[in-house]
Amino acid sequence: MIEEMRLRDLGVIAEATLPIGPGFTAITGETGAGKTMVVTGLGLLLGQRADSGAVRAGASQATVDGVWIVPEDGPVAERVREAGGDVEPIGDGRAELYVGRSISSEGRGRASVGGRAAPAGVLADLADELVVVHGQSDQLRLRSAAAQRDALDRFGGEAVQSARETYRRAYERWRTVDRELSQLTEDRDARAREAEELRAQLAEIEQAAPQPGEDAELIARAERLANAEELRLAAASAHDALSGDGDVPDAGSLLAEARRALERVHDPALEDLAGQLADLGYRVADVAAALAGYLADLDESGPHELAAVEERRAVLSALVRTHGSLESAIELLDTGSLRLAELDDDSGRIERLAEERDAAASALDDAAGALTAARTEAAGRLGAAVTAELRELAMPDARLEVAVTSGAESASGRDDVAILLAPHPGAEPRPVSRGASGGELSRVMLAIEVVIAAVDPVPTFVFDEVDAGIGGAAAIEVGRRLARLARSSQVIAVTHLAQVAAFAANHLSVVKANDGSVTASDVRRLEGAEREAEMARLLSGMPDSDAALTHARELLSLRTDAD
């Protein structure tokens, strides 16, 4: 529930604090005092669209802050934490949630949730869990088929919700398979072309049989063959210098001579050096042997080998141009066969998906039938219960029916739901949008909420002039029903009727003052004589009329009797 709301520079309200709390709160005030701004402010806290026109004349921005009491752990607290904010525990599993909204005169807006800045969409998400708002424009929603279906589903409780969830899963399954089958069928030609191209690519790669790193090896090999003569001269010169057979002493011979010279004498230090010279001799011999092998390899190579290397490089270059790299071509050879098998299996997949779609459609038919049956049963009970409520709301001859008929298939089922009203005996039930006046529509809406709240309570209801178009006994019964609704939910009602306000446990008055240039409003909690005077003003326009005061006290006694 909302515990407190603070408004600043919103419409005609310069600054006001509304202590709301649990139960039924009635908000009254003179015409133009800003009662509707209270609902506007609450709407801003619920994520509704911000309008710079709501900023008080001369002010740079309007602000609205609210304190909600919410479960410490639950969907609301979880959504707040997801947005980066938090709630303040106050004991008994409850917590305070601080929310705020500001609008600048230029149209810019900001929102805060649980102490952190957040998009206004987060407030709208929280509103789905916290509040149901009914105003003169909101009553029009009762005229939409979707709203009427949702009202029936709320009343239907677990039976309808379970059937609706089963239907939703069946619907999503059917849609998924149907989309996949349609896509596969539409893309059959494209997939056939893909298979043909992939088959040709795999054949080309298989024929080339590339090896990892082969292109780099071929580059090095081609470079060697292209410079074979220069490489041969260098290697031969180095080989001769290490172990040549000519007249010039080579490195190997010189090292051997030096070693023998040291070995002729006996000195431990020279013996160690002789060992090092022997090791150098072995290493020189190894290098000389490697150079001999290198020269032999060069001697065996020729122009024909260079041509073969270049030809192989051309084959691999063609693969690189097609696939981006040699590694990608090798990878395609590993994975492409699986893709080709998938593409070649189109006919089998289409047949299997068609069977799956038929099975999913059959399951969907069953789920739709079960949902229709559950809604039809709930519709009978809802119609009877609302009809009984209407009798208590000064519509004794009215009869409400909820018709469930076949409609277009959607994620919510195959049912069209229509709330029909027969306002008097002998009248044919007509859609409530055409069969009810404004006052009757208000009472039908209230009766529906009272009935539904008994099985699916909502934390907070906000009614903006739900009593429009009614008076007398009907207004008293509206007040009585709001008080009954407040036994399980918080109820906030903006009203201009004393008969409704009399049943409120908390009566707030929006008071207007005029300093000659700017109109401002404040909000006061009324008790005792002040409340009686406001009730008298609502009844007669004269807060100090003895007759009106007597009538006001009589109305206030109705609440005591109701309690």
Side-chain angles (χ1 to χ4, degrees), residues 7 214 228 380 418 449 453 483 498 513 535:
L7 312 174
E214 184 182 0
E449 291 293 5
M535 296 280 289

Side-chain angles (χ1 to χ4, degrees), residues 175-211:
R175 285 194 63 191
T176 299
V177 176
D178 184 66
R179 281 198 300 264
E180 186 177 355
L181 178 59
S182 298
Q183 190 68 39
L184 186 60
T185 303
E186 291 174 5
D187 295 347
R188 182 182 299 178
D189 292 341
R191 292 167 68 86
R193 288 193 298 272
E194 181 186 351
E196 183 178 351
E197 293 173 2
L198 181 57
R199 192 173 286 107
Q201 290 175 355
L202 292 177
E204 180 184 19
I205 298 172
E206 288 175 350
Q207 183 176 4
Q211 301 299 315

